[in-house]
Amino acid sequence: MILEKLWRLATLDVGIDLGTANTVVHVRGKGVVIKQPSVVARQMKSKEILAIGDEAKKMLGKNPANIEVVRPLRDGVIADFDAAEAMLKHYIVEVHEYYKGLGMKIPRPRVAIGIPSGVTEVERRAVQEAALSAGARAAFLVEEPMAAAIGAGLQVQKPEGHMVCDIGGGTSEIGVISLGGLVLNRSLRVAGDELTESIMNYVRLKYNMLLGESTAEEVKIAVGSAYPLKREKEGNPLQVVVRGRSLDNGLPKSLKLDSVEIREAMMPVINQILSEIHLIIEETPPDLVSDILEKGLVMAGGGALIRNIDKLISEQTGMPVWVTENPLEAVVRGCAKVLEDDKLLSKVRVVGGLR
């Protein structure tokens, strides 16, 4: 027992939410230490890494021909293995450097990574291999609905139903959980990226103007909502000024957009997520539905930060809906908690182990 405790103290446990939009890293005893965009900039020919995270995102859409700026993950899975491995290695090294600075020698870490519930076996292995190649001693994969539920503080091992909706950048994960397992789940490859794209398409079709992806994302954050705001009833909607290129003459153009228009642009995507929630509720056993109705549906992920999305889902489903604290960190908190409890790890991990 004493040896086990000493080994646990000497082991570095790292939880990673390897998201399409953001990568979040949690270290046992330190909390969330890294929260960066999942973007990598590298030389086109030599593949030399130039920047990762915030610095790389600043280059997105502004890079010359000899530099490529890539997002290693698409729809929640690895699209560029080399870039994903470089990004993971960068963050694992960054954690190690922190401990070296304190004069501590730490062995290679155990890593738990949140993955979409609908990925294939090949995609799972790609994530695990990327983590092991990046320097992890052991890599465990946990499905995102389960990780989000654990991170939200739900008692997932008890014989009672919980429902989670995790709207990320590439996927929307909806799951019903009981006795430490997913009773039902949906992995919908419609999420934050599609919301951003819907704004770009709306502005192009209505105003004949091209917006960049970064600008459209800023608009979504600044004025996006899923349900009418109180201030709109007073004739005072949220507004934002955007700049892009006119398709009429190819010249720069400025435009003022408001929260009513942006909600109109995003609603087709939000309705797709709502439809999946309805389908899962229809398939859920009655006893679990009773538990969910009592406890409510838990929202996590960056999409949970869209204004009034909890209110819309509650109105459409007739269930209480609540957004977990720091929804962007729910999955990574869950991954970290899994590593702290070996019994829970053996129950919820999808695949993984020692190298």
Side-chain angles (χ1 to χ4, degrees), residues 66-237:
N66 63 322
I67 296 175
E68 60 177 347
V69 182
V70 297
R71 295 175 65 180
L73 291 100
R74 283 286 174 187
D75 297 329
V77 297
I78 292 178
D80 188 318
F81 185 87
D82 292 336
E85 183 185 335
M87 187 172 69
L88 279 171
K89 187 176 290 185
H90 172 79
Y91 293 138
I92 289 173
V93 168
E94 200 169 305
V95 170
H96 266 271
E97 289 299 323
Y98 170 80
Y99 281 95
K100 280 183 185 177
L102 298 177
M104 298 170 66
K105 189 176 180 181
I106 300 290
R108 290 189 302 160
R110 295 192 314 161
V111 174
I113 302 176
I115 58 165
S117 57
V119 300
T120 64
E121 186 64 28
V122 172
E123 290 166 339
R124 288 173 183 169
R125 291 292 176 185
V127 175
Q128 188 188 18
E129 282 301 316
L132 292 172
S133 300
R137 177 173 61 86
F140 305 97
L141 306 184
V142 183
E143 290 175 317
E144 285 177 358
M146 180 64 74
I150 295 168
L154 303 182
Q155 300 298 313
V156 297
Q157 298 190 69
K158 291 187 176 181
E160 54 189 32
H162 301 281
M163 189 169 183
V164 177
C165 179
D166 173 29
I167 304 174
T171 62
S172 294
E173 303 289 322
I174 307 157
V176 174
I177 296 163
S178 180
L179 290 169
L182 282 168
V183 179
L184 289 164
N185 67 281
R186 289 274 197 286
S187 184
L188 182 65
R189 296 195 176 186
V190 171
D193 285 350
E194 282 67 31
L195 288 169
T196 302
E197 193 177 329
S198 69
I199 294 169
M200 294 166 67
N201 291 337
Y202 179 88
V203 172
R204 188 181 72 247
L205 292 171
K206 185 172 181 179
Y207 296 105
N208 220 20
M209 174 178 163
L210 279 181
L211 281 187
E213 186 178 338
S214 298
T215 304
E217 188 177 349
E218 288 169 9
V219 170
K220 178 179 71 178
I221 294 167
V223 302
S225 66
Y227 194 86
L229 306 173
K230 285 183 180 179
R231 59 187 296 162
E232 291 173 0
K233 295 175 183 177
E234 301 164 3
N236 184 30

